[in-house]
Amino acid sequence: MKICSRCVLPETFPGIHFDEDGVCQYCLRGDAIDRAAIRRETESFLASIRGSAPQYDVVVAYSGGKDSTYALKYLAEGFRLRIAALTIDNDFISETAIRNARSVPSSLGVDHYLIKPTAGVLRKTFRKSLEEPIYGTSALSRASAICNSCIQIINTQVLNFATRYQVPVVAGGYIGGQIPSNTGVMKQNLAASRTIRQEFLNRLKGILPDDALRYFVQYGGELEEVTVINPMTYLALSEESIIAEIQPLGWMLPADTGQSSTNCQLNDYAIASHMDKHHYHPYVFETAMMVRLGVMGREEALGRMSKVPCTDVTEPIRARLYRD
Amino acid sequence: MSTIAEIEKVVVDFIIDRTGLPQEEVPRDKNLLGAGVLDSFGFMEMIMHLEQSYSLSVPIDEHVLENYGSVGAIVASIDRLLRAR
C-alpha cells in the first residue's frame, strides 16, 4: 500500500493525494499553525477568566485518559481556575481509568461529576453506529464510528453541563488531528450548535431508539455561547512525557485498554471494525500530525498504524457489545 | 460588499482546506452534514470562520436548519446578513 513518504497517511485515507515524490497534501501544506501564538492567546484568556461565572470557570470533558488528565492538570495548576471535571462512563471504561477519573480531580482540587448512561442503551447505540451509515467520511476520517457516537454524547453532555451551571468555558483533551481545528480560543454559539445537533438527531431518528436519542439532545438556556479550548493541540507533548507528568497525581496506566487508548476497553474493537471496513486506521490522521510535529517518530508511527487488534483481543469485546 | 460568488469561494475554500476534496467535488446543493462532507465540529468551525471573515455575529434566530441546508443556503444566509447590516 502506498503511504506518504513523510508522514503515515495511506492511499486509502479519504481525499488523500500525493505529489511525484509521494508526499501527501497535508505534509506539503506543512504545519502552518503558530502553536506558540495560540498558546499565548489561550493562556492570556485563561488568566482573565477566574471568578467570572457563578460556580465554575471551566468544565473539562474528562475521560480519565492521559490527554484529558494532562489538560486538567495544566488548567488546575497553571491558572488556579474553578474547574468541574465531567466524566461520561460508557460502560467500557477500564476500572483503572475510573479510579484515575475519581482520584486525579480530587488531588488537583477539582470537583468531579460522573454520568453513567444506561449500559444497554449505549451498547445498542454503539452497535448501530457500526451497522448503519450514521457518520460521513469527514467524521470517520478522524475517529471510528463507535468513537464518534461516544464523542457526540460526551460533547452534548458537557455543553448541557455548561448550560445548566452557566459555565462559560469548555475544555477538552483533544490533540491535533482529532478535531478539525487547532485554534486556541474558539467561541461556540450554542444556538448554532443546537441546530447542528438537531440535524444530527434527525438523522438518528429511526436508527436509534428514543431512550438513546435523549443522550444526544442539547438543550437551551440563558447561556448563549461558550469558549472552547483544547490545550493539548498547542502543547504537543509526547505520550511518554504526558504520562511522566501525570503519574505523580496518582494516575495509573491501565493494562486492559488495548494499544491506542488509556481509558476505553471498547477501543480495540472499534479500531478493528473501522480498519476492516475502511482500510485505514482511525487514528492515522492524528498520528500523522504527531509525526509532522515531531512528537512521534515515523517508524514508531508506522508500526502502530500497521497493528490491527487481533481476534483474540477483539472477540471478547465484541461478545460484550452484543450480549443483549 | 462581497458578492455571492466571493462568499461561495470563502465557503468552498474552507471545505477544501478541511476535507482535501477537489473543488469540483464540493457539493453545492447537498446538505453538508447529511452528506458527510463536514462533521459537526467542522460545521461549527465553518460558521465561526464565516463570522470572523465578515465580522458578523449570526443572530440566534438565523441558526436554523434551512440556512445550513447546502453551500447555496449558507451563502444566501451570509449574503442576507451582510445586506441587512
Coordinates of all heavy atoms in Angstrom, one line a residue, chain A residues 232-321:
Chain A
M232 N -4.1 20.7 24.6 CA -3.2 19.7 24.0 C -2.8 19.9 22.6 O -1.8 19.5 22.1 CB -3.7 18.3 24.2 CG -4.1 17.9 25.6 SD -2.8 18.1 26.8 CE -1.8 16.7 26.5
T233 N -3.6 20.7 21.9 CA -3.3 20.9 20.5 C -2.1 21.8 20.3 O -1.4 21.7 19.3 CB -4.5 21.6 19.7 OG1 -4.9 22.8 20.4 CG2 -5.7 20.7 19.6
Y234 N -1.9 22.7 21.3 CA -0.7 23.5 21.2 C 0.5 23.1 22.1 O 1.6 23.4 21.9 CB -1.0 25.0 21.4 CG -1.6 25.4 22.7 CD1 -0.8 25.5 23.9 CD2 -2.9 25.7 22.8 CE1 -1.3 25.8 25.1 CE2 -3.5 26.0 24.1 CZ -2.7 26.1 25.2 OH -3.2 26.4 26.4
L235 N 0.1 22.2 23.1 CA 1.2 21.8 23.9 C 2.0 20.7 23.2 O 3.2 20.6 23.4 CB 0.6 21.2 25.3 CG 0.0 22.3 26.2 CD1 -0.7 21.7 27.4 CD2 1.0 23.3 26.6
A236 N 1.4 19.9 22.4 CA 2.1 18.9 21.5 C 3.2 18.1 22.2 O 4.3 18.3 21.9 CB 2.6 19.6 20.3
L237 N 2.8 17.3 23.2 CA 3.7 16.6 24.0 C 3.8 15.1 23.6 O 2.8 14.6 23.1 CB 3.3 16.7 25.5 CG 3.2 18.1 26.1 CD1 2.4 18.1 27.4 CD2 4.6 18.6 26.3
S238 N 4.9 14.5 23.9 CA 5.0 13.0 23.6 C 4.2 12.3 24.6 O 4.0 12.8 25.8 CB 6.4 12.6 23.6 OG 6.9 12.6 24.9
E239 N 3.8 11.1 24.3 CA 3.0 10.2 25.2 C 3.8 10.0 26.5 O 3.3 10.0 27.6 CB 2.6 8.9 24.6 CG 1.6 9.1 23.5 CD 1.2 7.7 22.9 OE1 1.6 6.7 23.4 OE2 0.4 7.7 21.9
E240 N 5.1 9.7 26.3 CA 5.9 9.4 27.5 C 6.0 10.6 28.4 O 5.9 10.5 29.7 CB 7.4 9.1 27.0 CG 7.5 7.8 26.2 CD 7.0 8.0 24.8 OE1 6.8 9.1 24.3 OE2 6.6 6.9 24.2
S241 N 6.1 11.8 27.9 CA 6.2 13.0 28.8 C 4.9 13.3 29.5 O 4.9 13.7 30.6 CB 6.8 14.2 28.1 OG 5.9 14.5 27.0
I242 N 3.8 13.0 28.8 CA 2.5 13.2 29.4 C 2.4 12.3 30.6 O 2.0 12.7 31.7 CB 1.4 13.0 28.4 CG1 1.3 14.1 27.3 CG2 0.0 12.9 29.1 CD1 0.4 13.8 26.2
I243 N 2.7 11.0 30.3 CA 2.5 10.0 31.4 C 3.4 10.3 32.6 O 3.0 10.2 33.8 CB 2.7 8.6 30.8 CG1 1.5 8.3 29.9 CG2 2.8 7.5 32.0 CD1 1.6 7.0 29.1
A244 N 4.6 10.7 32.3 CA 5.6 11.0 33.4 C 5.1 12.2 34.2 O 5.3 12.2 35.4 CB 6.9 11.4 32.8
E245 N 4.4 13.1 33.6 CA 3.9 14.3 34.3 C 2.6 14.0 35.2 O 2.4 14.6 36.2 CB 3.5 15.4 33.3 CG 4.7 16.1 32.7 CD 5.2 17.2 33.5 OE1 4.5 17.7 34.3 OE2 6.4 17.5 33.3
I246 N 1.8 13.0 34.7 CA 0.6 12.8 35.4 C 0.6 11.7 36.5 O -0.2 11.6 37.3 CB -0.6 12.6 34.4 CG1 -0.4 11.3 33.6 CG2 -0.9 13.8 33.6 CD1 -1.6 11.0 32.6
Q247 N 1.6 10.8 36.3 CA 1.7 9.7 37.3 C 1.9 10.2 38.8 O 1.3 9.7 39.7 CB 2.9 8.8 36.9 CG 2.4 7.8 35.9 CD 3.5 6.8 35.4 OE1 4.6 7.2 35.4 NE2 3.1 5.7 35.0
P248 N 2.6 11.3 39.0 CA 2.7 11.8 40.4 C 1.3 12.2 41.0 O 1.2 12.4 42.2 CB 3.6 13.0 40.3 CG 4.4 12.8 39.1 CD 3.5 12.1 38.1
L249 N 0.3 12.4 40.1 CA -1.0 12.7 40.6 C -1.8 11.5 41.1 O -2.9 11.5 41.5 CB -1.8 13.4 39.5 CG -1.3 14.8 39.0 CD1 -2.1 15.2 37.8 CD2 -1.4 15.8 40.1
G250 N -1.1 10.3 40.9 CA -1.8 9.1 41.2 C -2.4 8.4 40.0 O -3.1 7.3 40.1
W251 N -2.2 9.0 38.8 CA -2.7 8.4 37.6 C -1.9 7.1 37.3 O -0.7 7.1 37.3 CB -2.6 9.4 36.5 CG -3.3 8.9 35.2 CD1 -4.5 9.2 34.8 CD2 -2.7 8.2 34.1 NE1 -4.8 8.7 33.6 CE2 -3.7 8.0 33.1 CE3 -1.4 7.6 33.9 CZ2 -3.5 7.3 31.9 CZ3 -1.2 6.9 32.7 CH2 -2.3 6.8 31.7
M252 N -2.7 6.1 37.0 CA -2.1 4.8 36.6 C -2.4 4.4 35.2 O -3.6 4.6 34.8 CB -2.5 3.7 37.6 CG -2.0 4.0 39.0 SD -2.8 2.9 40.2 CE -2.1 1.3 39.7
L253 N -1.5 3.8 34.5 CA -1.7 3.3 33.1 C -2.5 2.0 33.1 O -2.0 1.0 33.7 CB -0.3 3.1 32.4 CG -0.4 2.7 31.0 CD1 -1.0 3.8 30.1 CD2 1.0 2.3 30.5
P254 N -3.7 2.1 32.6 CA -4.5 0.8 32.6 C -3.8 -0.2 31.7 O -3.2 0.1 30.7 CB -5.8 1.2 31.9 CG -5.9 2.7 32.1 CD -4.4 3.2 32.0
A255 N -4.0 -1.5 32.1 CA -3.4 -2.6 31.3 C -4.4 -3.3 30.4 O -4.0 -4.2 29.7 CB -2.7 -3.6 32.3
D256 N -5.6 -2.8 30.4 CA -6.7 -3.5 29.7 C -7.4 -2.7 28.7 O -8.6 -2.9 28.5 CB -7.7 -4.1 30.8 CG -8.2 -3.0 31.7 OD1 -7.8 -1.8 31.6 OD2 -9.1 -3.3 32.5
T257 N -6.7 -1.7 28.2 CA -7.4 -0.8 27.2 C -6.9 -0.8 25.8 O -7.1 0.1 25.0 CB -7.4 0.7 27.8 OG1 -6.1 1.0 28.1 CG2 -8.3 0.8 29.0
G258 N -6.1 -1.8 25.5 CA -5.6 -2.0 24.2 C -4.4 -1.1 23.8 O -3.8 -0.4 24.7
Q259 N -4.1 -1.1 22.5 CA -2.9 -0.4 22.1 C -3.0 1.1 21.8 O -2.0 1.8 21.7 CB -2.4 -1.1 20.8 CG -3.4 -1.1 19.7 CD -3.0 -2.1 18.6 OE1 -2.5 -3.1 18.8 NE2 -3.3 -1.7 17.3
S260 N -4.3 1.6 21.8 CA -4.4 3.0 21.4 C -5.1 3.9 22.4 O -5.3 5.1 22.2 CB -5.1 3.2 20.1 OG -4.4 2.5 19.1
S261 N -5.6 3.3 23.5 CA -6.4 4.0 24.4 C -5.8 3.9 25.8 O -5.2 2.9 26.2 CB -7.9 3.5 24.4 OG -8.6 4.2 25.4
T262 N -6.1 4.9 26.7 CA -5.7 4.8 28.1 C -6.9 4.9 29.0 O -6.8 5.2 30.1 CB -4.7 5.9 28.5 OG1 -5.2 7.2 28.1 CG2 -3.3 5.6 27.9
N263 N -8.1 4.6 28.4 CA -9.3 4.5 29.2 C -10.3 3.6 28.8 O -11.1 3.0 29.6 CB -9.9 5.9 29.4 CG -10.5 6.5 28.2 OD1 -10.0 6.3 27.1 ND2 -11.7 7.1 28.3
C264 N -10.4 3.3 27.5 CA -11.6 2.6 27.0 C -11.3 1.2 26.5 O -10.5 1.0 25.6 CB -12.3 3.4 25.9 SG -13.8 2.6 25.2
Q265 N -12.1 0.2 27.0 CA -11.8 -1.2 26.6 C -12.5 -1.5 25.3 O -12.2 -2.6 24.7 CB -12.4 -2.1 27.7 CG -11.7 -2.0 29.0 CD -12.3 -2.7 30.1 OE1 -13.6 -2.8 30.2 NE2 -11.5 -3.3 31.0
L266 N -13.4 -0.7 24.8 CA -14.1 -0.9 23.5 C -13.2 -0.5 22.3 O -13.5 -0.9 21.2 CB -15.4 -0.1 23.5 CG -16.4 -0.3 22.4 CD1 -16.7 -1.8 22.2 CD2 -17.6 0.5 22.7
N267 N -12.2 0.3 22.6 CA -11.4 0.9 21.6 C -10.8 0.0 20.5 O -10.9 0.2 19.3 CB -10.3 1.8 22.2 CG -9.8 2.8 21.2 OD1 -10.6 3.5 20.6 ND2 -8.5 2.9 21.1
D268 N -10.2 -1.1 21.0 CA -9.6 -2.0 20.0 C -10.6 -2.6 19.1 O -10.3 -2.8 17.9 CB -8.9 -3.2 20.8 CG -7.4 -2.8 21.0 OD1 -6.9 -1.8 20.5 OD2 -6.7 -3.6 21.7
Y269 N -11.8 -2.9 19.6 CA -12.8 -3.5 18.7 C -13.3 -2.4 17.7 O -13.5 -2.7 16.5 CB -14.0 -4.0 19.5 CG -15.1 -4.6 18.6 CD1 -14.8 -5.7 17.8 CD2 -16.3 -4.0 18.5 CE1 -15.8 -6.3 17.0 CE2 -17.3 -4.5 17.7 CZ -17.1 -5.7 16.9 OH -18.0 -6.2 16.1
A270 N -13.4 -1.2 18.2 CA -13.8 -0.1 17.3 C -12.7 0.1 16.2 O -13.1 0.3 15.0 CB -13.9 1.2 18.1
I271 N -11.5 0.0 16.5 CA -10.4 0.2 15.6 C -10.4 -1.0 14.5 O -10.4 -0.7 13.3 CB -9.0 0.2 16.3 CG1 -8.8 1.4 17.1 CG2 -7.9 0.0 15.3 CD1 -7.6 1.4 18.0
A272 N -10.5 -2.2 15.0 CA -10.5 -3.4 14.1 C -11.7 -3.3 13.1 O -11.5 -3.6 11.9 CB -10.6 -4.7 14.9
S273 N -12.9 -2.9 13.7 CA -14.1 -2.8 12.8 C -13.9 -1.7 11.7 O -14.2 -1.9 10.6 CB -15.3 -2.5 13.6 OG -15.5 -3.4 14.6
H274 N -13.3 -0.6 12.2 CA -13.0 0.5 11.2 C -12.0 0.1 10.1 O -12.3 0.3 9.0 CB -12.5 1.7 12.0 CG -12.3 2.9 11.2 ND1 -13.2 4.0 11.2 CD2 -11.3 3.3 10.3 CE1 -12.8 4.9 10.4 NE2 -11.6 4.6 9.8
M275 N -11.0 -0.6 10.6 CA -9.9 -1.0 9.6 C -10.5 -2.0 8.6 O -10.2 -2.0 7.4 CB -8.7 -1.5 10.3 CG -8.0 -0.4 11.0 SD -6.5 -0.9 11.9 CE -5.3 -1.1 10.6
D276 N -11.3 -2.9 9.1 CA -11.9 -3.9 8.3 C -12.8 -3.3 7.2 O -12.8 -3.7 6.0 CB -12.7 -4.8 9.2 CG -13.3 -6.0 8.4 OD1 -12.5 -6.6 7.6 OD2 -14.5 -6.3 8.5
K277 N -13.5 -2.2 7.6 CA -14.5 -1.6 6.7 C -13.9 -0.5 5.8 O -14.2 -0.4 4.6 CB -15.6 -1.0 7.5 CG -16.9 -0.6 6.8 CD -18.0 -0.4 7.8 CE -19.3 -0.1 7.2 NZ -20.3 0.2 8.2
H278 N -13.0 0.3 6.3 CA -12.5 1.5 5.6 C -11.0 1.3 5.2 O -10.5 2.2 4.5 CB -12.7 2.7 6.5 CG -14.1 2.9 6.9 ND1 -15.1 3.3 6.0 CD2 -14.7 2.8 8.1 CE1 -16.2 3.5 6.7 NE2 -16.0 3.1 8.0
H279 N -10.3 0.3 5.7 CA -9.0 0.1 5.2 C -7.9 1.1 5.6 O -6.9 1.3 4.9 CB -8.9 -0.2 3.7 CG -10.0 -1.2 3.3 ND1 -10.0 -2.5 3.7 CD2 -11.1 -1.0 2.6 CE1 -11.0 -3.1 3.2 NE2 -11.7 -2.3 2.5
Y280 N -8.2 1.9 6.6 CA -7.2 2.7 7.2 C -7.5 2.8 8.7 O -8.6 2.6 9.2 CB -7.2 4.2 6.6 CG -8.4 5.0 6.8 CD1 -8.6 5.8 7.9 CD2 -9.5 4.9 5.8 CE1 -9.7 6.6 8.0 CE2 -10.6 5.6 6.0 CZ -10.8 6.4 7.1 OH -11.9 7.2 7.3
H281 N -6.4 3.1 9.5 CA -6.5 3.1 10.9 C -7.3 4.4 11.3 O -6.9 5.5 10.8 CB -5.1 3.1 11.5 CG -5.1 2.7 13.0 ND1 -5.7 3.5 14.0 CD2 -4.5 1.6 13.6 CE1 -5.4 2.9 15.1 NE2 -4.8 1.8 14.9
P282 N -8.3 4.3 12.2 CA -9.0 5.6 12.6 C -8.1 6.6 13.3 O -8.5 7.7 13.5 CB -10.1 5.1 13.5 CG -9.7 3.7 14.0 CD -8.8 3.2 12.9
Y283 N -6.9 6.2 13.8 CA -6.0 7.1 14.5 C -5.0 7.7 13.5 O -4.1 8.4 13.9 CB -5.3 6.4 15.6 CG -6.2 6.2 16.9 CD1 -7.3 5.5 16.9 CD2 -5.8 6.8 18.1 CE1 -8.1 5.3 18.0 CE2 -6.5 6.6 19.2 CZ -7.7 5.9 19.2 OH -8.4 5.7 20.3
V284 N -5.1 7.3 12.2 CA -3.9 7.7 11.4 C -3.8 9.2 11.1 O -2.7 9.6 11.0 CB -4.0 6.9 10.0 CG1 -5.1 7.5 9.1 CG2 -2.7 6.8 9.3
F285 N -4.9 9.9 11.1 CA -4.8 11.3 10.9 C -4.1 12.1 12.0 O -3.2 12.9 11.8 CB -6.1 12.0 10.6 CG -6.1 13.3 10.0 CD1 -5.6 13.5 8.7 CD2 -6.4 14.5 10.7 CE1 -5.6 14.8 8.1 CE2 -6.3 15.7 10.2 CZ -5.9 15.9 8.9
E286 N -4.5 11.7 13.3 CA -3.8 12.3 14.4 C -2.4 11.8 14.5 O -1.5 12.6 14.9 CB -4.6 12.1 15.7 CG -4.6 10.6 16.1 CD -5.5 10.4 17.4 OE1 -6.7 10.6 17.2 OE2 -5.0 10.1 18.4
T287 N -2.1 10.6 14.2 CA -0.8 10.0 14.3 C 0.1 10.7 13.3 O 1.3 11.0 13.6 CB -0.8 8.5 14.1 OG1 -1.7 7.9 15.0 CG2 0.6 7.9 14.3
A288 N -0.4 10.9 12.1 CA 0.4 11.6 11.0 C 0.7 13.0 11.5 O 1.8 13.5 11.3 CB -0.4 11.7 9.7
M289 N -0.2 13.7 12.2 CA 0.1 15.0 12.7 C 1.2 15.0 13.8 O 2.0 15.8 13.8 CB -1.2 15.6 13.2 CG -1.0 17.1 13.6 SD -2.5 18.0 14.0 CE -3.0 18.5 12.3
M290 N 1.2 13.9 14.6 CA 2.2 13.8 15.6 C 3.6 13.6 15.0 O 4.6 14.1 15.5 CB 1.9 12.6 16.5 CG 0.7 12.9 17.4 SD 0.1 11.4 18.3 CE 1.2 11.4 19.7
V291 N 3.6 12.9 13.8 CA 4.9 12.7 13.1 C 5.3 14.1 12.6 O 6.5 14.5 12.7 CB 4.7 11.7 12.0 CG1 5.9 11.7 11.1 CG2 4.4 10.3 12.5
R292 N 4.4 14.8 12.0 CA 4.7 16.1 11.4 C 5.2 17.1 12.5 O 6.1 17.9 12.3 CB 3.5 16.8 10.7 CG 3.4 16.4 9.3 CD 2.2 17.0 8.6 NE 1.4 15.9 8.0 CZ 0.2 15.6 8.4 NH1 -0.5 16.3 9.3 NH2 -0.4 14.6 7.8
L293 N 4.6 17.0 13.7 CA 5.0 17.9 14.8 C 6.3 17.4 15.5 O 6.9 18.1 16.3 CB 3.9 17.9 15.9 CG 2.6 18.6 15.5 CD1 1.5 18.4 16.6 CD2 2.8 20.0 15.2
G294 N 6.7 16.2 15.1 CA 8.0 15.7 15.7 C 7.8 15.1 17.1 O 8.8 14.8 17.8
V295 N 6.6 14.8 17.5 CA 6.4 14.2 18.9 C 6.3 12.7 18.8 O 6.3 12.0 19.8 CB 5.1 14.8 19.6 CG1 5.3 16.3 19.9 CG2 3.9 14.5 18.9
M296 N 6.3 12.2 17.6 CA 6.4 10.7 17.4 C 7.3 10.5 16.1 O 7.1 11.1 15.1 CB 5.0 10.1 17.2 CG 5.1 8.6 17.2 SD 3.5 7.8 16.9 CE 2.6 8.1 18.4
G297 N 8.2 9.5 16.2 CA 9.0 9.1 15.1 C 8.1 8.4 14.0 O 7.2 7.8 14.3
R298 N 8.5 8.6 12.7 CA 7.8 7.9 11.7 C 7.7 6.4 11.8 O 6.7 5.8 11.5 CB 8.3 8.4 10.3 CG 7.4 7.9 9.1 CD 7.8 8.6 7.8 NE 7.0 8.1 6.8 CZ 7.2 7.0 6.0 NH1 8.3 6.3 6.2 NH2 6.4 6.6 5.0
E299 N 8.9 5.9 12.1 CA 9.0 4.4 12.2 C 8.0 3.9 13.3 O 7.3 2.9 13.1 CB 10.4 3.9 12.5 CG 11.3 4.1 11.3 CD 10.8 3.5 10.0 OE1 10.3 2.3 10.1 OE2 10.7 4.2 9.0
E300 N 8.0 4.5 14.4 CA 7.1 4.1 15.5 C 5.7 4.3 15.1 O 4.8 3.4 15.3 CB 7.4 5.0 16.8 CG 6.5 4.5 17.9 CD 6.5 5.5 19.1 OE1 7.4 6.3 19.2 OE2 5.7 5.3 20.0
A301 N 5.4 5.4 14.4 CA 4.0 5.6 13.9 C 3.6 4.5 12.9 O 2.5 4.0 13.0 CB 3.9 7.0 13.3
L302 N 4.5 4.2 12.0 CA 4.2 3.2 11.0 C 3.9 1.9 11.7 O 2.9 1.1 11.3 CB 5.3 3.0 10.0 CG 5.5 4.1 9.0 CD1 6.8 3.9 8.2 CD2 4.3 4.1 8.0
G303 N 4.7 1.6 12.7 CA 4.5 0.3 13.5 C 3.1 0.3 14.1 O 2.4 -0.7 14.1
R304 N 2.7 1.4 14.7 CA 1.4 1.4 15.4 C 0.3 1.3 14.4 O -0.7 0.7 14.7 CB 1.3 2.8 16.2 CG 2.2 2.9 17.4 CD 1.8 4.1 18.2 NE 2.7 4.2 19.3 CZ 2.4 4.9 20.4 NH1 1.2 5.4 20.6 NH2 3.3 5.0 21.4
M305 N 0.4 2.0 13.3 CA -0.7 2.0 12.3 C -0.8 0.7 11.6 O -1.9 0.4 11.0 CB -0.5 3.1 11.3 CG -0.6 4.5 11.9 SD -2.2 4.9 12.7 CE -1.8 4.6 14.4
S306 N 0.2 -0.1 11.6 CA 0.1 -1.4 10.9 C -0.5 -2.5 11.9 O -0.8 -3.6 11.4 CB 1.5 -1.9 10.5 OG 2.3 -2.1 11.6
K307 N -0.6 -2.2 13.1 CA -1.1 -3.2 14.0 C -2.7 -3.2 14.1 O -3.3 -2.2 14.5 CB -0.7 -2.9 15.5 CG 0.8 -3.4 15.7 CD 1.1 -3.1 17.2 CE 2.6 -3.2 17.4 NZ 3.0 -2.5 18.6
V308 N -3.2 -4.3 13.6 CA -4.7 -4.5 13.7 C -4.9 -5.3 14.9 O -4.3 -6.4 15.1 CB -5.3 -5.2 12.5 CG1 -6.8 -5.3 12.5 CG2 -4.8 -4.6 11.2
P309 N -5.8 -4.8 15.9 CA -6.0 -5.6 17.0 C -6.5 -7.0 16.6 O -7.4 -7.1 15.7 CB -7.1 -4.8 17.8 CG -6.9 -3.4 17.3 CD -6.5 -3.5 15.9
C310 N -5.9 -8.1 17.2 CA -6.3 -9.4 16.7 C -7.6 -9.9 17.3 O -8.1 -9.4 18.3 CB -5.1 -10.4 17.0 SG -4.9 -10.6 18.8
T311 N -8.1 -11.0 16.7 CA -9.4 -11.5 17.1 C -9.4 -11.9 18.6 O -10.4 -11.8 19.2 CB -9.8 -12.7 16.2 OG1 -9.5 -12.3 14.9 CG2 -11.2 -13.1 16.3
D312 N -8.3 -12.5 19.0 CA -8.2 -12.9 20.4 C -8.5 -11.8 21.3 O -9.1 -11.9 22.4 CB -6.8 -13.4 20.8 CG -6.6 -14.8 20.1 OD1 -7.5 -15.4 19.6 OD2 -5.4 -15.3 20.2
V313 N -8.1 -10.6 20.9 CA -8.4 -9.4 21.7 C -9.8 -8.8 21.5 O -10.5 -8.5 22.5 CB -7.3 -8.3 21.4 CG1 -7.7 -6.9 22.1 CG2 -5.9 -8.7 21.8
T314 N -10.2 -8.8 20.3 CA -11.5 -8.1 20.0 C -12.7 -9.0 20.2 O -13.8 -8.4 20.5 CB -11.5 -7.6 18.5 OG1 -11.3 -8.7 17.6 CG2 -10.4 -6.6 18.3
E315 N -12.5 -10.3 20.1 CA -13.7 -11.2 20.2 C -14.4 -11.0 21.6 O -15.7 -10.9 21.6 CB -13.4 -12.6 19.9 CG -14.5 -13.6 20.0 CD -15.8 -13.1 19.2 OE1 -15.6 -12.5 18.1 OE2 -16.9 -13.4 19.7
P316 N -13.7 -11.0 22.7 CA -14.4 -10.8 24.0 C -15.1 -9.5 24.1 O -16.2 -9.4 24.7 CB -13.2 -10.9 25.0 CG -12.1 -11.6 24.3 CD -12.2 -11.3 22.9
I317 N -14.5 -8.5 23.5 CA -15.1 -7.1 23.5 C -16.4 -7.2 22.6 O -17.5 -6.7 23.0 CB -14.2 -6.1 22.9 CG1 -12.8 -6.1 23.6 CG2 -14.8 -4.7 23.1 CD1 -11.7 -5.3 22.9
R318 N -16.3 -7.8 21.5 CA -17.5 -7.9 20.6 C -18.6 -8.7 21.3 O -19.8 -8.2 21.2 CB -17.1 -8.6 19.3 CG -18.1 -8.5 18.2 CD -18.0 -9.6 17.2 NE -18.3 -10.9 17.7 CZ -19.6 -11.4 17.9 NH1 -20.6 -10.6 17.6 NH2 -19.8 -12.5 18.5
A319 N -18.2 -9.7 22.0 CA -19.2 -10.5 22.7 C -19.9 -9.7 23.7 O -21.1 -9.8 23.9 CB -18.6 -11.8 23.3
R320 N -19.1 -8.9 24.4 CA -19.7 -8.0 25.4 C -20.6 -6.9 24.8 O -21.7 -6.6 25.3 CB -18.6 -7.3 26.2 CG -19.0 -6.6 27.5 CD -17.8 -6.2 28.3 NE -18.1 -5.0 29.0 CZ -17.2 -4.2 29.5 NH1 -15.9 -4.4 29.3 NH2 -17.5 -3.2 30.2
L321 N -20.2 -6.4 23.7 CA -21.0 -5.4 23.0 C -22.3 -5.9 22.5 O -23.4 -5.3 22.5 CB -20.2 -4.8 21.8 CG -20.8 -3.7 21.0 CD1 -21.1 -2.5 21.9 CD2 -20.0 -3.3 19.8

